[in-house]
């Protein structure tokens, strides 16, 4: 008997099914909770992506991404220098690293994860009040930000909160996670400040240079839920992509699924209780003139009955230069190290992200000299 997914029937109306799913406001958790055994066709990823899911390096996955201990960051100049060099090396070669002893209590991390999970586990009638697609402001609960722009949907739901420069009114944030979301914005920003100081020093710049350039000024908090997927070999939690901004801080529960591309191999990122994952965004790769690198990462569809919860803080540039442009930092350029990227406008940056599905380095490819 032929598989349901062997061929696309002529009668299949993809956009109609996408629209019905979107208008139900139930998300993938609603589908998962309903007990379905086959995922809707518009979640099925193209063959080339599905075949790539098998390319995971067991050797690299056993060691994982670099883990950096920040506990002695301010104890002495020598210790700070050592930690800075570790951060620089990780940001240059992996684009990803995990930090421990970062100054945020494990109890705060656990409470934040629990609060985001509590939101996603609320009844559909409660969550649907927050369901919308008004990106770049306020609070938005949705499934797949790029649902109407992507080739295939991915198996996750998200609660998006734009925390800066214009934070939402407190009552806009769901009560189940209001206190924790506001607190996490503060805690994660404090960690980001430490890491950005080290990244700035790693380029030979002043410690506060990135802060002065408003690299912490635009922030979005995204609480993802990856429910159980009945056919994890046919879809993904999130497609392979790079993050567009400066840096990203990720807090996750103990359910695995995140993978990072290192060279030509995919590496599993093992959840480390108490740790925070940091990764370089496309914009940081550009302003560092390629010294730091943003790398592809993806999330596998969740085959566990326990949902995978991740809380992502995206840190982005707030103040653009002059009439709204940016590029490699002039301080990093010389005859020996000329610019490898051209300046680009804020409009180019936002159009590139919001007019298509998630992808990898498309802006970088466009502005490469």
């Amino acid at each position: 008997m032929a598989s349901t997914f062997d061929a696309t029937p002529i009668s299949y109306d993809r956009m109609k099914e996408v629209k019905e799913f979107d208008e139900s406001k139930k998300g993938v958790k609603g589908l998962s909770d309903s007990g379905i055994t086959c995922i809707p066709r518009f979640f099925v990823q193209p063959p080339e992506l599905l075949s790539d899911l098998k390319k995971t390096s067991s050797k690299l996955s056993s060691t994982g991404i670099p883990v950096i201990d920040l506990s002695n960051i301010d104890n002495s100049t020598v210790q700070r220098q050592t930690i800075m060099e570790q951060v620089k090396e990780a940001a240059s070669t992996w684009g990803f690293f995990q930090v421990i002893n970062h100054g945020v209590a494990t109890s705060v991390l656990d409470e934040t994860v629990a609060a985001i999970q509590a939101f996603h586990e609320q009844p559909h009638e409660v969550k649907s009040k927050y369901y919308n697609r008004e990106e770049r402001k306020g609070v938005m609960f949705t499934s797949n930000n790029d649902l109407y722009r992507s080739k295939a949907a991915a198996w996750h739901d998200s609660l998006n909160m734009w925390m800066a420069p214009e934070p939402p009114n407190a009552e806009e944030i769901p009560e189940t996670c209001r206190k924790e979301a506001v607190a996490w914005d503060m805690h994660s920003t404090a960690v980001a400040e430490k890491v950005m100081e080290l990244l700035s020093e790693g380029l030979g710049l002043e410690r506060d240079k990135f802060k002065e350039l408003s690299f912490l000024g635009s922030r979005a908090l995204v609480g993802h839920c990856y429910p159980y997927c009945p056919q994890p070999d046919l879809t993904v939690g999130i497609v392979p992509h790079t993050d567009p901004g400066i840096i990203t801080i990720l807090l996750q529960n103990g359910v695995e699924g995140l993978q990072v591309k290192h060279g030509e191999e995919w590496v599993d990122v093992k959840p480390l209780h108490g740790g925070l994952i940091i990764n370089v965004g496309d914009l940081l790769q550009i302003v560092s003139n390629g010294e730091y690198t943003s790398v592809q990462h993806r999330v596998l569809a969740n085959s566990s009955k326990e949902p995978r919860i991740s809380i992502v803080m995206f840190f982005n540039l707030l103040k653009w230069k002059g009439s709204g442009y940016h590029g490699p930092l002039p301080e990093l350029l010389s005859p020996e190290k000329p610019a490898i990227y051209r300046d680009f406008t804020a409009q180019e940056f936002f159009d590139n992200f919001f007019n298509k599905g998630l992808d990898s380095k498309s802006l970088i490819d466009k502005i490469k000299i």
Side-chain angles (χ1 to χ4, degrees), residues 116 134-140 145 158-168 181 184-186 188-189 215-224 243-251 310-317 350 353-354:
I116 294 298
E134 291 184 42
E135 295 179 287
R136 293 174 63 180
K137 65 177 184 178
V139 176
M140 177 180 81
N145 287 21
S158 309
L159 176 64
N160 303 259
M161 293 171 262
W162 280 266
M163 307 304 287
E166 296 176 22
W184 186 239
D185 178 47
M186 177 188 68
S188 60
T189 300
F215 285 3
L216 293 155
S218 178
R219 301 190 302 277
L221 188 162
V222 181
H224 291 306
D243 292 346
I246 298 291
I247 67 167
T248 303
I249 293 184
L250 170 70
L251 165 63
S310 69
I311 296 98
V312 192
M313 280 295 296
F314 295 101
F315 294 86
N316 211 338
L317 176 68
F350 290 115
F353 182 70
F354 287 106

Side-chain angles (χ1 to χ4, degrees), residues 111-112 115 170 173-185 187:
E111 287 163 8
T112 307
I173 302 174
E175 191 174 354
T176 49
C177 58
R178 184 178 300 158
K179 177 171 66 75
E180 292 83 1
V182 172
W184 186 239
D185 178 47
H187 288 302

Side-chain angles (χ1 to χ4, degrees), residues 25-201:
K25 302 181 180 181
K26 292 182 178 180
V28 293
K29 189 165 191 310
L31 292 176
S32 182
D33 289 348
S34 72
I36 60 166
T37 55
C38 294
I39 62 175
R41 186 182 300 272
F42 60 89
F43 283 97
V44 178
Q45 297 292 328
E48 60 273 17
L49 191 154
L50 295 177
S51 63
D52 195 48
L53 294 180
K54 299 178 178 68
K55 297 177 183 175
T56 301
S57 168
S58 56
K59 182 180 177 183
L60 286 172
S61 291
S62 64
T63 54
I65 62 173
V67 177
I68 300 173
D69 188 338
L70 299 182
S71 57
N72 295 318
I73 193 172
D74 294 315
N75 286 3
S76 75
T77 304
V78 174
Q79 288 171 320
R80 185 180 181 88
Q81 179 74 16
T82 300
I83 296 168
M84 179 273 285
E85 288 171 358
Q86 291 173 343
V87 167
K88 179 182 180 180
E89 173 71 11
S92 302
T93 57
W94 278 86
F96 264 79
F97 53 96
Q98 195 153 192
V99 294
I100 57 174
N101 297 317
H102 40 64
V104 185
T106 303
S107 59
V108 171
L109 307 185
D110 293 344
E111 287 163 8
T112 307
V113 169
I116 294 298
Q117 182 166 348
F119 169 81
H120 285 289
E121 289 182 347
Q122 290 179 113
H124 157 250
E125 296 76 23
V126 178
K127 288 190 297 185
S128 63
K129 293 185 292 187
Y130 298 96
Y131 197 96
N132 70 83
R133 293 196 175 275
E134 291 184 42
E135 295 179 287
R136 293 174 63 180
K137 65 177 184 178
V139 176
M140 177 180 81
F141 165 57
T142 195
S143 186
N144 288 255
N145 287 21
D146 60 350
L147 182 65
Y148 291 99
R149 307 189 294 260
S150 62
K151 293 177 182 176
W155 201 257
H156 72 272
D157 296 332
S158 309
L159 176 64
N160 303 259
M161 293 171 262
W162 280 266
M163 307 304 287
E166 296 176 22
N169 295 324
E171 61 271 15
E172 289 182 74
I173 302 174
E175 191 174 354
T176 49
C177 58
R178 184 178 300 158
K179 177 171 66 75
E180 292 83 1
V182 172
W184 186 239
D185 178 47
M186 177 188 68
H187 288 302
S188 60
T189 300
V191 175
E193 283 185 3
K194 292 180 186 178
V195 172
M196 283 196 190
E197 286 179 358
L198 295 166
L199 289 167
S200 184
E201 292 174 67

Side-chain angles (χ1 to χ4, degrees), residues 75 105 157 199 213 223 226 273 288 291 328 335 360:
N75 286 3
D157 296 332
L199 289 167
L213 290 169
Y226 302 87
H273 190 222
S288 71
E291 289 294 322
S360 300

Side-chain angles (χ1 to χ4, degrees), residues 194-349:
K194 292 180 186 178
V195 172
M196 283 196 190
E197 286 179 358
L198 295 166
L199 289 167
S200 184
E201 292 174 67
L203 295 174
L205 302 172
E206 291 295 320
R207 182 181 294 192
D208 293 331
K209 183 65 176 179
F210 284 0
K211 191 172 183 180
E212 290 169 8
L213 290 169
S214 77
F215 285 3
L216 293 155
S218 178
R219 301 190 302 277
L221 188 162
V222 181
H224 291 306
C225 175
Y226 302 87
Y228 166 72
C229 179
Q231 293 181 299
D233 55 334
L234 291 179
T235 190
V236 290
I238 285 185
V239 297
H241 67 284
T242 54
D243 292 346
I246 298 291
I247 67 167
T248 303
I249 293 184
L250 170 70
L251 165 63
Q252 60 182 343
N253 69 353
V255 179
E256 295 186 23
L258 175 64
Q259 293 187 326
V260 169
K261 197 164 193 183
H262 188 59
E264 294 303 311
E265 297 181 291
W266 287 99
V267 179
D268 291 321
V269 178
K270 307 289 185 185
L272 180 59
H273 190 222
L276 292 172
I277 295 165
I278 316 280
N279 68 279
V280 173
D282 293 345
L283 204 48
L284 183 55
Q285 176 170 330
I286 295 166
V287 298
S288 71
N289 202 39
E291 289 294 322
Y292 298 141
T293 182
S294 66
V295 300
Q296 278 189 304
H297 48 289
R298 67 189 183 191
V299 176
L300 303 180
N302 184 15
S303 59
S304 165
K305 291 295 184 180
E306 182 185 353
R308 180 175 186 272
I309 302 294
S310 69
I311 296 98
V312 192
M313 280 295 296
F314 295 101
F315 294 86
N316 211 338
L317 176 68
L318 176 60
K319 296 176 184 174
W320 294 71
K321 295 179 182 177
S323 55
Y325 70 94
H326 225 293
L329 297 177
E331 300 95 317
L332 303 179
L333 306 180
S334 67
E336 296 75 34
K337 287 190 174 181
I340 58 177
Y341 308 111
R342 67 168 173 83
D343 285 350
F344 59 97
T345 66
Q347 192 64 45
E348 279 182 280
F349 175 79

